Amino acid sequence: MPRRFSCIVLLVAATLLLVSPAVHSRQSRIAVLPMEDLSRGGNGLNYGVTQLVRDNLASRDLAVLGRDEVLAFMVKNRVRWLGHLGSRYIRRLHDDLGVDYALLGSVNQRRDTKPYVLGLTLQLIRTEDARLVWAHSVELCDADEIGLLGLAGSQDLQEMERLVVGKALQGLAADLRQYGGPLDIQEGVESVFLGPEIVRPGEEVSCRITLSLSASQLYNTTVSVFVDERIVEARYSSVDNSFQAVWNAAPADGHYPVQVAISRPGQLDKEVLVGGYQVDGLAPSLALQVKGQELNGVVVLRKKIDMIPLLKNPEPISRWRMSVRDEEGLVVMGDDGRAGLPGRFSWWGQAKSGALVPDGFYTIELEVWDRVGNKGAARQTIQVIRQEPEMQVALNEQDDKVVVHLNYAGQIPLDYWRLEIRDKEGGLISESSGTEAPEGLELALAAMPSGKISYHLYAQDMLGNRLLRQVDAMVPLAGEASDEGGDFLAEAVAEERSKVMARQVWTEDF
Amino acid sequence: MVGVTVLFLGGCTASRPYLQAYTAQVPVQACSVAVLPVVNQSDYDQGGTILHRLLLSALINERPWRLALEGDVRKIYRELHVRPWQQASPDQLRVLGSRLEVDLLIGGKIITMEEQIKGGKFNPRLKIELQVYDGADGTLLWSTYHSRKGTDYRKLMHFGLSNTISELGKKMLKEILILWKEEGLLACPE
């Protein structure tokens, strides 16, 4: 070999030796993800701080991934959130873009009026094993910058942003490889879809498992599901590189944990608890408590009744239906809803049209369905009674007195009654009251004034139904000529002009 | 002088975190940790996320743990239908521990988080509770309650004051981690 040629070979070899470390230790490639701005609510973006971080890193010996590349990555992978990334996306940054580190961060606090505040947290994640290797938080407030002489810091918010970013990255080593120790690649379950969460006995349950393994690693990998002392083999689907196991739920009610076993050739089996499901075959146990006055053991509606549904074993309800049926079984009123069962129902005795339903017996039925469709129901019979107390007044002349007979034939006990007899000027001649209908009231005829008399009758039954009756008897008493002749009192009653006042009409409450 | 002394003493008498252990035996190994979304019971917007990120930062600066990524924790929460503002049930905690392959799960709750601004001066207040669960079975191992005001850290005049909720949170978390270390709760054999 000529001497000159060997010199050249030596020179080239020496150059290669000198250059090679630099070639092997290439610049770390880092992706700066957009900084989340928590001061702007969930998923706020702070572009200014992101750019400051990028500029700061670019000034170091780091290859910073272009902003457009980062955005394209986020769009391609449908990353619609900021401030955090799962290891699945972190690994894609490594595999797809050759990124060594991802820098994520959030502006925790930001106040753009005096006194300015800025808080920033940065996280550095090694992409190869998706490991958080470094993090730092810096907070700065105007008030922090007040010096000994009481002089306030002079910076505006932009200056503060530069200061905070500089302080946050100050502690970041020039060589990022010093962080995190040896690689620790976690291979396991990446995502799980287990459903439904709650089923009836025997219904189908499925579990789709995606592993954090490459396509080549998935080869010869078997996945089994352990549930209810059974082993269910999961089938591999090359469409989405997932494993799917399907089985029928156990016959007994209860919570069943689901465990996944991953077997790979040459590797220890891995068992991971991935979730659980609930078996529910029991109908909701329901009671309906109706609040109101009772008559012969049945709650009576006069104005309204309140119904309180009670779930004996409280559980979420998917839907409910309340219906009111008349004696023929026709639904006169109903309501339904989804999810939450109301704590109380009120019925004002109206039909769907808004009109009041006639007196009679009605059945209130409440049906509820739990999350898997088990149905529970409760019924209560109520009675609608709005009829006012029926009282007849009979006046009979006996010797020298007038006997007043009050006749009450109603089923509902009276709460009280009051009878007033007045002369034609409205002066009170007699008044009587009580809680039970009297056998007969005797009024001395001699004490009766000449001319016409009238009576006012008030009564209320125990349900609150009221009778207000004003009868202008226009009775020609003894000594005065009677056109009709005969028993003038009986005639008077026959001619009485009854004016039953409706309850809604204003009257003095008695 | 008296005023300065009082201020100085005020800075020294601030309360320590209160630790309640629920088991006599802590896990022998606590080398990997997952921080769960912090439940925010205060009116401070995004307070839970702020504390979560501060806690991650405090933990990684304590030692080189294997810390589960926030994104992974949130994904499992979604799969289990747990909202970030809800406390996970014991069954769900077991799943989280198994899926994330961690020794400990740290959950948190913000009881009070507020920043009062008077005359250009801040006075943040923070009351938090951290719960630590066994990653293997989801049992509650210990919990720590800590309450502080920004003025608790006053050293002299305005020096030492914590003016922001983030700074106050950071200091409080550091105190909590120191206490846990003192109690030997964060042991990871090399």
Side-chain angles (χ1 to χ4, degrees):
Chain A
M1 183 182 290
R3 192 172 179 166
R4 192 176 170 185
F5 181 72
S6 47
C7 279
I8 291 169
V9 169
L10 277 172
L11 194 64
V12 170
T15 310
L16 278 175
L17 276 173
L18 282 171
V19 170
S20 59
V23 169
H24 292 302
S25 62
R26 65 168 178 84
Q27 279 184 314
S28 292
R29 198 166 155 81
I30 187 166
V32 179
L33 277 296
M35 300 287 145
E36 185 177 19
D37 194 336
L38 297 174
S39 71
R40 294 175 186 174
N43 228 25
L45 166 71
N46 194 312
Y47 176 73
V49 171
T50 311
Q51 194 54 43
L52 285 172
V53 171
R54 285 177 49 79
D55 292 347
N56 187 302
L57 293 173
S59 67
R60 301 162 180 234
D61 186 25
L62 289 168
V64 182
L65 194 70
R67 191 191 65 160
D68 292 344
E69 281 179 280
V70 172
L71 292 179
F73 171 82
M74 291 176 73
V75 170
K76 184 185 169 191
N77 291 284
R78 297 180 183 179
V79 177
R80 301 187 195 92
W81 54 92
L82 304 170
H84 60 87
L85 268 186
S87 31
R88 177 183 172 193
Y89 299 100
I90 295 289
R91 276 194 296 270
R92 280 187 196 169
L93 274 172
H94 179 267
D95 298 343
D96 299 353
L97 301 177
V99 167
D100 302 305
Y101 296 92
L103 190 81
L104 288 88
S106 58
V107 173
N108 297 334
Q109 280 188 276
R110 184 175 179 275
R111 190 179 151 90
D112 53 10
T113 52
K114 276 261 183 193
Y116 302 119
V117 170
L118 194 73
L120 177 69
T121 295
L122 296 175
Q123 294 179 1
L124 185 72
I125 299 168
R126 186 167 62 192
T127 56
E128 200 169 354
D129 57 354
R131 181 166 180 159
L132 179 65
V133 292
W134 174 89
H136 195 54
S137 292
V138 172
E139 302 77 28
L140 205 58
C141 171
D142 244 2
D144 297 337
E145 297 298 299
I146 297 170
L148 264 176
L149 297 173
L151 299 172
S154 59
Q155 70 269 19
D156 55 16
L157 189 63
Q158 283 69 38
E159 194 181 334
M160 190 179 264
E161 283 178 349
R162 279 192 291 277
L163 204 63
V164 166
V165 169
K167 279 180 85 170
L169 291 169
Q170 205 171 21
L172 186 68
D175 184 4
L176 302 182
R177 285 169 301 187
Q178 72 178 68
Y179 294 118
L183 278 176
D184 178 20
I185 296 171
Q186 298 282 311
E187 292 172 347
V189 175
E190 187 172 274
S191 68
V192 173
F193 172 79
L194 175 64
E197 258 184 294
I198 180 160
V199 289
R200 281 178 175 170
E203 280 186 348
E204 201 171 80
V205 184
S206 71
C207 183
R208 196 174 68 240
I209 306 131
T210 311
L211 302 177
S212 55
L213 297 173
S214 63
S216 60
Q217 288 172 316
L218 286 172
Y219 183 71
N220 275 345
T221 298
T222 57
V223 175
S224 312
V225 172
F226 290 90
V227 60
D228 183 28
E229 298 176 350
R230 285 180 288 171
I231 300 173
V232 184
E233 207 68 35
R235 290 187 175 184
Y236 176 69
S237 163
S238 56
V239 178
D240 56 357
N241 285 332
S242 69
F243 293 83
Q244 184 157 16
V246 180
W247 66 94
N248 292 322
D253 282 14
H255 181 263
Y256 293 88
V258 176
Q259 207 162 11
V260 165
I262 305 159
S263 301
R264 292 175 59 199
Q267 303 267 338
L268 284 173
D269 286 3
K270 195 169 198 170
E271 290 181 3
V272 183
L273 181 68
V274 295
Y277 67 96
Q278 189 84 26
V279 175
D280 182 7
L282 279 179
S285 180
L286 185 71
L288 190 61
Q289 205 176 57
V290 183
K291 299 275 187 187
Q293 194 148 15
E294 285 188 18
L295 183 69
N296 303 324
V298 177
V299 175
V300 177
L301 177 146
R302 193 180 69 83
K303 265 186 161 179
K304 74 155 187 169
I305 52 163
D306 290 323
M307 295 157 281
I308 299 169
L310 297 169
L311 278 169
K312 288 171 188 165
N313 300 308
E315 62 175 314
I317 293 299
S318 63
R319 65 188 179 101
W320 55 267
R321 183 169 65 203
M322 196 272 284
S323 48
V324 181
R325 293 173 189 276
D326 62 14
E327 288 168 52
E328 292 170 357
L330 296 171
V331 176
V332 295
M333 184 64 181
D335 196 7
D336 56 60
R338 298 208 165 263
L341 184 63
R344 176 187 293 257
F345 293 97
S346 294
W347 186 44
W348 294 79
Q350 290 169 307
K352 287 173 191 168
S353 62
L356 294 174
V357 298
D359 286 9
F361 286 92
Y362 292 85
T363 304
I364 295 170
E365 185 179 39
L366 179 65
E367 298 159 289
V368 296
W369 287 264
D370 65 15
R371 287 172 295 174
V372 284
N374 294 313
K375 180 182 157 188
R379 286 174 196 84
Q380 279 282 357
T381 300
I382 62 145
Q383 190 177 3
V384 175
I385 302 175
R386 291 204 198 85
Q387 196 180 12
E388 64 191 18
E390 283 182 24
M391 292 188 85
Q392 282 86 42
V393 180
L395 305 173
N396 289 315
E397 187 184 6
Q398 290 177 1
D399 302 329
D400 56 348
K401 60 193 178 196
V402 174
V403 180
V404 182
H405 287 281
L406 279 175
N407 181 30
Y408 176 62
Q411 300 294 313
I412 305 156
L414 280 181
D415 213 6
Y416 59 84
W417 62 268
R418 179 183 165 93
L419 177 70
E420 293 172 3
I421 296 179
R422 293 177 182 273
D423 61 19
K424 63 181 178 183
E425 278 82 32
L428 189 66
I429 302 169
S430 163
E431 66 163 331
S432 309
S433 63
T435 53
E436 288 180 15
E439 289 293 317
L441 277 172
E442 293 183 353
L443 302 172
L445 191 59
M448 300 289 271
S450 60
K452 300 166 183 173
I453 61 166
S454 63
Y455 72 81
H456 294 188
L457 176 62
Y458 310 95
Q460 179 171 310
D461 65 21
M462 61 172 281
L463 299 174
N465 295 312
R466 288 176 184 176
L467 167 73
L468 308 176
R469 187 183 297 164
Q470 181 182 328
V471 178
D472 298 326
M474 295 178 288
V475 180
L477 282 170
E480 287 192 4
S482 169
D483 294 344
E484 291 80 13
D487 188 340
F488 67 89
L489 283 171
E491 290 297 321
V493 172
E495 287 175 10
E496 75 180 11
R497 179 166 55 84
S498 178
K499 188 166 71 181
V500 179
M501 299 166 76
R503 280 187 299 277
Q504 290 84 354
V505 172
W506 175 86
T507 180
E508 190 181 347
D509 204 349
F510 55 99
Chain B
M1 184 64 191
V2 172
V4 170
T5 311
V6 169
L7 288 174
F8 182 74
L9 288 174
C12 294
T13 53
S15 60
R16 269 167 62 88
Y18 171 74
L19 187 136
Q20 172 73 56
Y22 293 93
T23 175
Q25 201 170 358
V26 294
V28 180
Q29 182 170 294
C31 301
S32 52
V33 176
V35 178
L36 308 179
V38 175
V39 177
N40 184 9
Q41 292 181 346
S42 76
D43 294 331
Y44 200 97
D45 189 30
Q46 305 297 322
T49 313
I50 293 172
L51 197 71
H52 187 134
R53 307 254 161 96
L54 292 175
L55 182 54
L56 279 172
S57 179
L59 283 166
I60 199 72
N61 283 304
E62 191 59 42
R63 48 182 286 190
W65 311 82
R66 189 172 65 73
L67 280 172
L69 298 184
E70 185 186 334
D72 289 341
V73 176
R74 283 177 181 258
K75 183 165 68 70
I76 299 173
Y77 259 56
R78 276 198 303 276
E79 288 176 2
L80 295 174
H81 307 291
V82 186
R83 308 282 186 277
W85 55 89
Q86 288 177 328
Q87 205 110 29
S89 70
D91 283 336
Q92 291 161 338
L93 288 170
R94 271 197 291 277
V95 173
L96 281 157
S98 179
R99 289 277 306 273
L100 296 165
E101 297 178 53
V102 290
D103 301 320
L104 296 178
L105 296 162
I106 302 180
K109 185 166 70 179
I110 297 171
I111 301 157
T112 304
M113 185 184 258
E114 57 187 26
E115 244 175 8
Q116 294 171 342
I117 308 171
K118 260 187 191 171
K121 289 179 182 172
F122 287 86
N123 188 17
R125 289 166 62 89
L126 191 54
K127 278 183 197 171
I128 55 172
E129 191 181 294
L130 296 185
Q131 298 96 16
V132 181
Y133 305 92
D134 191 336
D137 56 14
T139 52
L140 180 61
L141 299 172
W142 71 86
S143 73
T144 300
Y145 169 83
H146 200 17
S147 171
R148 287 282 211 175
K149 297 196 295 276
T151 49
D152 288 345
Y153 295 92
R154 188 199 301 271
K155 287 176 185 149
L156 183 67
M157 293 170 72
H158 59 265
F159 294 100
L161 282 171
S162 287
N163 291 307
T164 61
I165 206 80
S166 313
E167 190 187 355
L168 180 63
K170 200 162 107 175
K171 284 179 177 169
M172 288 171 66
L173 291 170
K174 195 172 178 184
E175 286 170 345
I176 291 172
L177 290 181
I178 288 171
L179 176 71
W180 288 359
K181 263 174 77 177
E182 282 172 3
E183 299 288 332
L185 301 173
L186 302 177
C188 176
E190 295 300 324

